[in-house]
Amino acid sequence: MANGGPVQHGFPHLETVRASITALYRRLSYDTVQTFATSVAPADVAFCDTDDLHLGAQRVARELVRHYRLPDARLIVGFREMSHAANVELAAGPEYFVELNDRFRTHRRDIGAALAHEVTHVYLHRLGLSFPGTRDNEILTDTVTTYLGAGWLLLDAYREDSASSQKLGYLTPEEFGYVLAKRAQVFAEDPSIWFTSPQAYTAYGKGVAQARRDEQQPPLTAAGWAGRRRYARDRRHAQDHQGDGPQAGVPYTFTPDGHGPLRVSFPCPTCQQRIRVPVKGRVRARCGLCRTVLECDT
């Protein structure tokens, strides 16, 4: 939790974020991801200063447990001084003890954001989905929280001005915006209507721009002129040298296919799983993981 300190910006964790989206689809399947089409509603996690602190926190925790369809999970929420925003004890269940930073005693509007991350820890624990290392595992948790409809709370908790700052989670604000944009593309949802933080709008806009760039990479037909020209040059090189390895700085890779045509592999712009198709002009490809249909010019 950045509390008054500097907030990291940009997309330094983008590779791990993309790997997290792929891992989520592989573990849950397309059909299960689709059951999370409705995000957590602001009214369900609203918390005002007149609410009882502990009863209110338990109510918000129950709503998030319901969102993740964990009916037999019970969160017991407490508060204490700590450097992090929150912590959860991942035992066998069904009871999980969550500790929130004492800061939230007086910043109650962000309790939902802190609990969203911790409930996702419980959800991933039960799924058996994790990444090695604390950093990557926390990035996975933030990404899944956001992609499954609760992470807009984390971005909305980001506030920064010349005198103070606050940011929850391990992703940068722009990376939260990127994952929200990926979710919005799948579910035709506009999370920005729920933002109360002006800075969240800006970060989301930058995330949307980055997500759109994923859809404009060759061999996708939406690629721009410069990308198409670079792709054509790389394709000629690969054909002349039997696909002698990946080119630096591009997402696609050419590989020979025995005695058949050259093939190109590239990441699906929705789930980031790599797709491999023959190099033969216009091709329509369907991602086997997220079922996205892609128009390509190989």
Side-chain angles (χ1 to χ4, degrees), residues 24 36 39-40 64 67-68 112-121 123-124 138-154 171 176 179-180 183:
L24 177 65
F36 288 90
S39 288
V40 173
L64 290 164
H67 177 75
Y68 282 99
L115 286 174
H117 179 94
E118 301 310 316
V119 174
T120 306
H121 268 304
Y123 182 68
L124 292 175
E138 292 292 350
I139 292 171
L140 169 68
T141 304
D142 274 344
T143 302
V144 172
T145 305
T146 307
Y147 205 88
L148 295 186
W152 69 266
L153 291 161
L154 286 160
L171 300 185
F176 274 119
V179 183
L180 280 173
R183 173 182 168 80

Side-chain angles (χ1 to χ4, degrees), residues 3-14:
N3 178 13
V7 174
Q8 187 178 27
H9 289 279
F11 299 93
H13 314 113
L14 198 54

